[in-house]
Amino acid sequence: MLNYLVAFGAIAGLMVGWLVVQRIARGYAERHPETGPYREVGCSGGCGHCGQPCEQPAEAPVAPPRPL
């Protein structure tokens, strides 16, 4: 049982730590506009590609059926 509590605590600590890092980065970007806007890291929308627009695959030409 102690292992589960330690694992849960470690994962929760890492998640809270990541939120703190994001907050620090946002604050830095706000104080230093010359570095550009703060950009979130990770996937957002799209078709399963991180930050890539959805592209519809071109339809392959359909060949007429061969006679028997």
Side-chain angles (χ1 to χ4, degrees):
M1 181 68 173
L2 181 62
N3 288 340
Y4 294 113
L5 293 175
V6 169
F8 178 77
I11 292 171
L14 288 172
M15 294 174 87
V16 169
W18 182 246
L19 292 176
V20 170
V21 167
Q22 285 183 330
R23 186 175 180 110
I24 291 170
R26 284 189 193 107
Y28 180 84
E30 189 175 312
R31 288 188 307 274
H32 301 279
E34 67 274 5
T35 61
Y38 174 72
R39 287 180 243 148
E40 291 286 335
V41 176
C43 292
S44 59
C47 295
H49 304 289
C50 291
Q52 300 294 324
C54 292
E55 294 181 15
Q56 298 296 329
E59 292 185 24
V62 178
R66 294 176 38 189
L68 297 175

